[in-house]
Amino acid sequence: MTSPWQRPDPDQSPPPRDLPHPGDRPPARAIEPEPVARHRSIWAWVVPLALVSALILVGAIVLRARSQASAPQPTPVVRNDTKEAAAVAFLTAVSEGRASDALAMSATEQNGPFLTDEALRASLDQAPISDIGVEGVDGDVVRLKHRVGEEETVTSLAMEPKGEQWQVERAAAEVLVAPRPEMVPVMVDGVKAEAPGYEYRVLLFPGQHQMSTGSQWLEFPNGTFTVTDLSEPEPVDATVAVADETEAGVRRVVEERLRSCAQRNELAPEGCPWNYTAPDDQPIDPESVQTSLVGDPVQDFEGPTLNEHDALATGRVSFTLQITATITVEGNPQPFDQQMEVESGYTTDLLTEAPDFTWSE
């Protein structure tokens, strides 16, 4: 046995190794296919990315469509290169409530409280303008047939050239409104007219207009009128009359006032139409006074008649008043019972809500 510390014998060669033969080759290594899981991981990224890209593209298209829809659209160009086209374009703007556009088509600068979208809309709400067409042309005047509400009518428009275009000579008519009584206010299409001297000249678009006094107790019997001639419009009959419900309204207020006066149990209540004075030698105990109305207090009632100058109206009422009290006769208290026939006038302001009134002789 050789010791682990013993050197090998140099003369003893190591055992021979099996060396490869020069003609021998290592066996070929088979190529294994890549695992299926690797291909699936790639598609797991590709497909979602494609979907996200498609969604972003669709969202951009939708946002662009919405922005285009919400963006203000340009006003269509209206060709006014003929008298007829310019006249139709003007009346169409009026019929659509576009006051500013209608005024822009006029050769005459006009404005005022009745030439606004609001006033024009109030006019059109009562009687729309429709079915606009050309009936004929006389020189520089174009006649347009159309409907105002349910009525067929014709509006004549004087035209003026403006370069290669045409425009209306004026957009509004100056209408004379002179109310009678003259101090009654005038409202046209819901707008109050202002003028010194109680004679109003108001600028109005073609179409139907409505006058009112602003009070439920007064009205214009001919308060609806139509403007068709912008050059020389007819004056408006602005005669004021008491409304149908006015007499009943005033009668109700008069009765309420009389009953309120009677409940005060006074011989001469302030602000009431009676004033009873007892003889000096027969004084009445004021604490004993009882007053009441006999029968219908407004049975003999005269309705209000309008003043010639303003909105004040006058009338009369007759009624019977019952007075009971304790009277002193020659130092002795005695019962007092008397009926009084009372007649009084009244003056009422028909521009107030109630309407308010005062007693008069």
Side-chain angles (χ1 to χ4, degrees):
M1 174 179 297
T2 303
S3 170
W5 301 106
Q6 186 179 357
R7 288 186 177 181
D9 188 351
D11 297 331
Q12 186 177 358
S13 299
R17 290 183 299 172
D18 294 331
L19 296 177
H21 191 275
D24 295 338
R25 294 183 179 178
R29 184 181 178 184
I31 300 177
E32 298 179 358
E34 295 184 0
V36 176
R38 184 177 180 186
H39 290 278
R40 288 179 180 174
S41 63
I42 294 176
W43 286 110
W45 285 99
V46 171
V47 172
L49 286 175
L51 289 176
V52 170
S53 300
L55 289 175
I56 293 175
L57 179 61
V58 171
I61 294 174
V62 171
L63 289 176
R64 182 178 179 183
R66 287 183 177 178
S67 64
Q68 289 177 347
S70 61
Q73 300 299 315
T75 302
V77 177
V78 178
R79 295 189 59 81
N80 295 336
D81 50 0
T82 66
K83 304 172 190 177
E84 297 90 333
V88 169
F90 165 74
L91 194 56
T92 298
V94 173
S95 71
E96 294 175 352
R98 295 184 284 115
S100 298
D101 291 344
L103 292 173
M105 300 180 194
S106 172
T108 304
E109 183 175 349
Q110 295 177 301
N111 55 59
F114 309 100
L115 303 180
T116 64
D117 289 349
E118 292 76 15
L120 181 54
R121 177 51 53 194
S123 169
L124 295 171
D125 285 345
Q126 298 176 47
I129 297 175
S130 60
D131 301 338
I132 302 171
V134 178
E135 183 184 73
V137 179
D138 297 323
D140 287 342
V141 176
V142 177
R143 300 191 311 277
L144 295 181
K145 59 182 179 180
H146 56 96
R147 300 180 71 87
V148 178
E150 298 299 324
E151 297 184 7
E152 295 183 356
T153 188
V154 175
T155 294
S156 298
L157 298 174
M159 309 302 296
E160 287 189 3
K162 182 182 180 181
E164 297 181 355
Q165 303 287 307
W166 285 85
Q167 58 189 351
V168 294
E169 183 180 287
R170 58 177 60 86
E174 186 179 63
V175 181
L176 172 63
V177 178
R180 294 291 180 269
E182 61 183 9
M183 295 178 67
V184 173
V186 177
M187 300 182 71
V188 181
D189 299 331
V191 180
K192 186 177 181 180
E194 301 287 352
Y198 306 107
E199 189 171 275
Y200 306 95
R201 296 183 179 276
V202 296
L203 293 174
L204 300 172
F205 284 120
Q208 188 182 102
H209 304 276
Q210 181 72 37
M211 288 192 307
S212 66
T213 65
S215 168
Q216 62 175 321
W217 312 116
L218 292 172
E219 64 184 9
F220 294 102
N222 300 312
T224 300
F225 61 96
T226 302
V227 173
T228 57
D229 186 349
L230 303 187
S231 300
E232 297 180 359
E234 293 290 333
V236 173
D237 180 5
T239 302
V240 184
V242 175
D244 293 340
E245 64 271 18
T246 301
E247 182 170 335
V250 175
R251 183 186 183 113
R252 181 185 65 252
V253 175
V254 169
E255 180 177 359
E256 291 173 354
R257 184 75 63 85
L258 288 176
R259 294 191 183 280
S260 176
C261 287
Q263 291 173 359
R264 292 163 62 177
N265 295 319
E266 299 177 15
L267 295 176
E270 184 179 357
C272 296
W274 65 83
N275 184 354
Y276 181 81
T277 304
D280 292 339
D281 60 345
Q282 298 179 355
I284 294 179
D285 179 7
E287 298 296 330
S288 67
V289 175
Q290 297 288 322
T291 57
S292 60
L293 299 169
V294 179
D296 185 354
V298 288
Q299 182 174 357
D300 297 319
F301 176 81
E302 178 186 298
T305 300
L306 194 60
N307 195 301
E308 295 181 358
H309 304 291
D310 50 35
L312 299 179
T314 57
R316 301 194 69 79
V317 62
S318 300
F319 58 94
T320 302
L321 179 70
Q322 182 81 30
I323 301 177
T324 60
T326 299
I327 189 171
T328 302
V329 180
E330 296 180 354
N332 298 316
Q334 296 181 7
F336 174 82
D337 191 343
Q338 182 173 335
Q339 287 188 353
M340 292 178 55
E341 299 298 326
V342 182
E343 181 179 352
S344 178
Y346 64 85
T347 301
T348 180
D349 184 355
L350 296 181
L351 293 180
T352 56
E353 183 177 356
D356 295 336
F357 77 95
T358 57
W359 299 109
S360 57
E361 296 297 330

